[in-house]
Structures are given as C-alpha cells and as structure tokens.
Amino acid sequence: MSNILEMINLKIDSMSKQQKNLASYIVEHYDDVAYMKLQELSQNTGVSEATILRFISELGFEGFHSFRNTLEEEMKSKLTSVQRLNISERYQDDAHAIHNIIETDIENLKETKNALDEESFAKAIDAVLNARKIYLMGLRSSAPLSSFMYYYMSRLFDEVKHISGTSTNEVFEQILPISSEDVMIGISFPRYSQRTINSIEYAKKKGAKVIVITDKDNTQLTANADIKLLAKYSMASFVDSLTAPLSLINAFLVTLGMHRKEHIKDNFAALEELWSIYRVYETNDGNE
C-alpha cells in the first residue's frame, strides 16, 4: 500500500518478537494507526511506548508525529472512496466522532499557521493585484473552495474567470485565452484532480503566473507552480476536512481586500442598493 509498509516488510525478518507484533498490527490496521495517538497504539498492541518509539526510529523517523503524518499523507492519495468510508469505523460513537474531528481541524489550523510561508503569501497577493485577468479553478471536493473564493474575488476584481466543467474539453475551452498577463489559481487536495494538474501545466506553458493552493509540495500539482500556498489537510472518513484551506483562503481574500478598498466600497454600495430594491435579503422593517 505505502512506502512505510514496504519499509516494514524489508526489515521485518530482523525484528524482535515485540516489534514483529507491532509491525503486523500496523500493516493490518494502517488506516487506523494514521489517526492514533502514541498511547492508543500502545494500548491496542500491548507494546510499550518506548518500544514503539524505538521501532519508529529504526524505520528512519524522528518521532511518532512524523511517522503518523507520513502514513496519513501516503493514504490520502491512494485510498479509494470505499476504503476512506471504512475509516469512520475507528470512531467509538457519535460523540467520539464529533470531538475527534473538531480537534483534528483545530490541529490542522495550528499547523497551517505555524508553517505559513509569508513570503510566498505576499508574492501571491502581488501577482493577483497585477494580473490582467484571474483564472480560478477547483474541482470535485475542492469545488466549494473555488466557489467561495470566486464569490468574493468577483467583487474585488472585474476580470475573474471561474473554471468549471465535467469534461477536459470544457475545462480547456475556458482557459484557452489565458496569457502571460494573467494569473491562474489552482486548488486541489488529495486525491489530486488530473484536470486541475493538466490545466495548471497549460497555463504555465502559456506564460501565466501560477498559484497553487494545496496541502504539500513536490507533487504533480505543484510541479508547474510559481507560488505555493500550503494548508494542512486531513480525511474524516469519506469527507475531506477543508477547514484549514478555507481559513487560508479567507486570509488571502481579506488581504486582497485591504489593497482594493475603494473598489470594494463602490461595488458593495451599488450591490446594497440593488439588494434593497429587489429584497434579496431579509429585513427587520416588518414588511414582507
């Protein structure tokens, strides 16, 4: 399944009895282990925490957190939807699922904040502000992120193109006019969309500045990126946890807005007038 499991198989003959028991458990329950705490793994296997840490060190990892993160990263891009659905079996009950998922989201936000590359963030802001036209793309589970971003970007800028479509032909028809004066923002998280990867490659060949919002570097998705904005991502069963990516996008939009205050002011003033005339939003004046 993964590089970690291959490493275990290569070393298993030279392991002690306890290490072999631990290795067998990891191989059989890798999708659970990726989300376990050290204490949980120790309790489930009957192997001491010290032995687990030595085992992980012999595999080449600096600590349990590094080992677990690597296993999770390998799972993200390889598990099928059915396999991902089975991950929910690790939750003991509804309450356990609620608390576990929220705690994971909080941790993802902390890791995203701590790992934020402020220089890349600033470069991305500058690239968008100086673009003739902005092309924005996020497909499948990333589609809500791109839709959210487009909703606000279209109020910040006059020339924003939201790329969508169910086929490769439809997608390429929409990005065909992209040029070196434009910016392409591609959003994708595991499993990475091949159409997004291909579109980014095309935009790069056309000379456009490419910004990628994703979970990690050194993937097909980031191969043609000029600027990479990374956010911690995890799986909650068959559902993608996109809390940290959404927070990063929110910060990106607010920062852009700081540079486009006058445009926003005029835009929203006109929109508020229209919304009032056509009763787009509920009011508290007692009238229907």
Side-chain angles (χ1 to χ4, degrees), residues 187-188 192-193 196-197 200 212-214 219-225:
I187 308 171
S188 191
Y192 306 108
S193 164
T196 303
I197 292 169
I200 287 171
V212 166
I213 300 175
T214 188
T219 66
Q220 269 191 297
L221 189 74
T222 58
N224 290 292

Side-chain angles (χ1 to χ4, degrees), residues 250-282:
N250 197 14
F252 191 73
L253 291 168
V254 171
T255 306
L256 284 172
M258 291 166 58
H259 294 272
R260 300 278 291 174
K261 285 182 181 178
E262 290 305 314
H263 184 88
I264 295 173
K265 184 178 179 181
D266 294 341
N267 196 332
F268 277 128
L271 282 171
E272 287 291 349
E273 185 176 351
L274 284 172
W275 291 338
S276 177
I277 292 171
Y278 293 103
R279 294 183 176 275
V280 173
Y281 294 110
E282 180 185 22

Side-chain angles (χ1 to χ4, degrees), residues 56-68:
I56 288 168
S57 177
E58 289 174 13
L59 289 179
F61 295 96
E62 293 182 1
F64 185 75
H65 187 70
S66 173
F67 165 78
R68 192 181 63 180

Side-chain angles (χ1 to χ4, degrees), residues 167-182:
S167 71
T168 302
N169 286 345
E170 287 179 347
V171 167
F172 275 104
E173 285 173 6
Q174 294 173 72
I175 64 171
L176 186 64
I178 199 167
S179 74
S180 59
E181 299 179 271
D182 304 326

Side-chain angles (χ1 to χ4, degrees), residues 1-284:
M1 145 86 190
S2 69
N3 291 334
I4 287 181
L5 301 192
E6 290 171 5
M7 291 162 61
I8 288 174
N9 287 331
L10 286 173
K11 294 177 177 287
I12 198 163
D13 289 339
S14 60
M15 292 179 184
S16 66
K17 183 177 179 181
Q18 266 200 323
Q19 287 180 327
K20 284 181 179 178
N21 290 338
L22 175 62
S24 296
Y25 184 88
I26 292 172
V27 169
E28 293 172 13
H29 303 90
Y30 57 82
D31 48 350
D32 292 321
V33 175
Y35 300 95
M36 282 184 187
K37 295 178 181 178
L38 177 59
Q39 185 180 14
E40 286 181 279
L41 182 58
S42 176
Q43 290 174 346
N44 289 346
T45 59
V47 177
S48 70
E49 293 182 17
T51 299
I52 293 173
L53 292 175
R54 282 196 300 273
F55 173 83
I56 288 168
S57 177
E58 289 174 13
L59 289 179
F61 295 96
E62 293 182 1
F64 185 75
H65 187 70
S66 173
F67 165 78
R68 192 181 63 180
N69 277 357
T70 301
L71 184 56
E72 183 184 355
E73 290 298 326
E74 292 175 358
M75 285 173 57
K76 285 177 187 176
S77 59
K78 295 178 181 179
L79 288 185
T80 65
S81 298
V82 174
Q83 288 172 318
R84 289 173 61 156
L85 180 60
N86 291 336
I87 292 174
S88 61
E89 294 177 0
R90 74 178 187 272
Y91 301 129
Q92 299 166 10
D93 50 37
D94 293 355
H96 182 231
I98 293 167
H99 290 286
N100 186 280
I101 290 168
I102 292 175
E103 285 173 6
T104 299
D105 281 344
I106 292 170
E107 188 62 34
N108 288 344
L109 285 166
K110 288 179 180 178
E111 289 191 32
T112 298
K113 177 179 177 291
N114 293 336
L116 180 65
D117 185 337
E118 294 184 7
E119 184 178 351
S120 292
F121 191 89
K123 286 180 179 178
I125 293 292
D126 186 63
V128 171
L129 290 173
N130 290 291
R132 178 186 67 93
K133 191 169 186 177
I134 303 157
Y135 289 78
L136 180 59
M137 181 176 189
L139 303 177
R140 302 184 69 80
S141 63
S142 295
L145 294 175
S146 65
S147 295
F148 175 83
M149 199 170 188
Y150 173 72
Y151 178 83
Y152 289 101
M153 291 279 276
S154 62
R155 283 150 180 75
L156 291 169
F157 302 94
D158 295 326
E159 294 289 337
V160 184
K161 178 71 174 178
H162 190 202
I163 308 301
S164 59
T166 56
S167 71
T168 302
N169 286 345
E170 287 179 347
V171 167
F172 275 104
E173 285 173 6
Q174 294 173 72
I175 64 171
L176 186 64
I178 199 167
S179 74
S180 59
E181 299 179 271
D182 304 326
V183 162
M184 169 74 167
I185 302 176
I187 308 171
S188 191
F189 290 82
R191 295 185 281 176
Y192 306 108
S193 164
Q194 191 60 51
R195 277 179 290 161
T196 303
I197 292 169
N198 294 341
S199 298
I200 287 171
E201 183 179 4
Y202 174 79
K204 181 70 173 179
K205 287 179 180 177
K206 296 284 283 187
K209 184 75 74 174
V210 175
I211 301 169
V212 166
I213 300 175
T214 188
D215 63 321
K216 63 180 179 180
D217 199 357
N218 301 318
T219 66
Q220 269 191 297
L221 189 74
T222 58
N224 290 292
D226 296 296
I227 304 167
K228 305 146 192 172
L229 301 180
L230 306 181
K232 178 68 175 176
Y233 151 92
S234 63
M235 295 182 302
S237 182
F238 64 97
V239 178
D240 295 318
S241 176
L242 299 174
T243 303
L246 183 59
S247 183
L248 177 64
I249 288 171
N250 197 14
F252 191 73
L253 291 168
V254 171
T255 306
L256 284 172
M258 291 166 58
H259 294 272
R260 300 278 291 174
K261 285 182 181 178
E262 290 305 314
H263 184 88
I264 295 173
K265 184 178 179 181
D266 294 341
N267 196 332
F268 277 128
L271 282 171
E272 287 291 349
E273 185 176 351
L274 284 172
W275 291 338
S276 177
I277 292 171
Y278 293 103
R279 294 183 176 275
V280 173
Y281 294 110
E282 180 185 22
T283 61
N284 295 318

